[in-house]
Amino acid sequence: MARCRRERADGLGGWHGRGSLLRSMPGTLAPEVVEPLLRGRFGNPYLFAERCESTQRALTDDLPEGAVAVCDEQTAGRGRRGRTWLAPAGTSVLCSLLLRPPAAREPAQLALVGGLAGARVVERATGRAAALKWPNDVLVDGHKVAGILAEARGEAVILGVGINVSQSAAELPSGTRTPAASLVTLGASSERASVLVDLLASLEELYDRWRDEGLAPVRDELAARDALRGRSVRIGAVAGIAAGIEPDGRLAVDTRSGRVIVAGGEASVA
Ligand code: BTN
């Protein structure tokens, strides 16, 4: 089966698959550059647009698990909790992956799976330890390099990943609660295609294990990468000391009135 389909004919104007006439620019994530590097199921089909509203909106229900949408620039990039995700054109890996998790698994755990994949990729690219700020921000030295957005669509999940690659310090968002960094500001290379290919391979490896065995195989890695453990945190009305990620992916917080297990939300660190 061909790895990638042409997508322009079916109403996704501006989206390109294999065989598109798109001309490669240096550093492009166009299919003719990325597609030959892909080895697994994720990225098949591979949908690419130079510019789109949000890759989260590009994957239609008829596509199979593993379909990926990528673009160079988003005009309405979405972050968690209704925020926007902004990046100058051509500076980031911006992608969304269509997943069809089995009913036996808790889909909310996919945020952690995506976060771990992002952390592995950032760590390999920078040679620096990457941590996970529960549930899914990827940090290096307390700076956010990547964010994950897991959105349910019926029984499917659209897992969006944004990795800051080549932004200069001046191009990164400022005034955010967690300061931002890119691979380049961390001293790494700005090769987006290899970052994307590594990300899709890491997502596939971690997703397949999670689908078969849940979070158990990555429990130690989650603990090792946990940026919140021992820190004073507030998540909604819950305030206390983060006490680690539970086997089911929720966060334990030791409050004055005892241990509380938090299922989701935004953790601010005191
Ligand atoms: C966050 O940290 O708030 C999550 C950010 C997720 C951003 C990615 S970029 C690719 C995909 N498309 C979007 O519009 N958002 C996600």
Side-chain angles (χ1 to χ4, degrees):
M1 187 172 102
R3 285 198 47 85
C4 201
R5 302 196 310 235
R6 281 186 78 106
E7 295 297 335
R8 299 192 74 175
D10 66 0
L12 286 173
W15 290 91
H16 307 258
R18 171 180 279 181
S20 83
L21 298 178
L22 188 73
R23 300 188 64 150
S24 301
M25 299 173 298
T28 182
L29 297 178
E32 61 264 38
V33 171
V34 173
E35 221 255 336
L37 305 173
L38 297 175
R39 295 283 170 267
R41 307 184 327 278
F42 286 7
N44 184 18
Y46 180 84
L47 310 180
F48 173 77
E50 286 166 70
R51 180 185 246 222
C52 70
E53 267 186 36
S54 162
T55 54
Q56 291 294 99
R57 296 185 186 278
L59 296 165
T60 47
D61 290 340
D62 56 316
L63 291 168
E65 178 168 88
V68 165
V70 170
C71 73
D72 277 336
E73 182 183 16
Q74 296 183 128
T75 56
R78 295 145 62 92
R80 291 182 69 227
R81 307 185 78 73
R83 287 190 292 256
T84 52
W85 183 264
L86 299 170
T91 61
S92 303
V93 165
L94 307 166
C95 75
S96 298
L97 169 67
L98 177 65
L99 297 171
R100 301 190 186 282
R105 295 280 165 244
E106 171 50 65
Q109 295 174 352
L110 282 171
L112 286 169
V113 172
L116 277 186
R120 288 183 181 186
V121 169
V122 166
E123 192 161 283
R124 277 194 283 265
T126 61
R128 297 166 71 168
L132 201 58
K133 175 173 172 272
W134 181 91
N136 50 14
D137 287 346
V138 177
L139 310 184
V140 173
D141 285 342
H143 289 65
K144 179 165 170 173
V145 188
I148 283 82
L149 179 65
E151 294 184 308
R153 187 189 293 158
E155 298 191 344
V157 172
I158 308 291
L159 191 68
V161 184
I163 302 179
N164 298 331
V165 177
S166 63
Q167 292 99 321
S168 65
E171 289 173 322
L172 289 164
S174 57
T176 47
R177 248 188 287 180
T178 307
S182 69
L183 298 183
V184 160
T185 64
L186 293 168
S189 100
S190 64
E191 230 285 281
R192 284 190 306 151
S194 61
V195 173
L196 173 61
V197 168
D198 191 19
L199 175 68
L200 294 177
S202 300
L203 283 168
E204 185 167 334
E205 181 191 337
L206 282 159
Y207 173 77
D208 285 353
R209 287 207 79 185
W210 171 82
R211 182 199 55 208
D212 296 343
E213 302 174 64
L215 288 178
V218 292
R219 218 180 145 186
D220 290 349
E221 184 175 353
L222 281 173
R225 294 196 187 277
D226 184 354
L228 294 181
R229 193 184 183 104
R231 311 282 303 270
S232 180
V233 296
R234 174 176 286 281
I235 304 150
V238 178
I241 305 296
I245 298 168
E246 293 285 293
D248 66 1
R250 294 180 299 165
L251 186 73
V253 181
D254 287 334
T255 72
R256 285 190 181 158
S257 44
R259 180 160 288 190
V260 175
I261 308 296
V262 183
E266 182 82 359
S268 46
V269 182

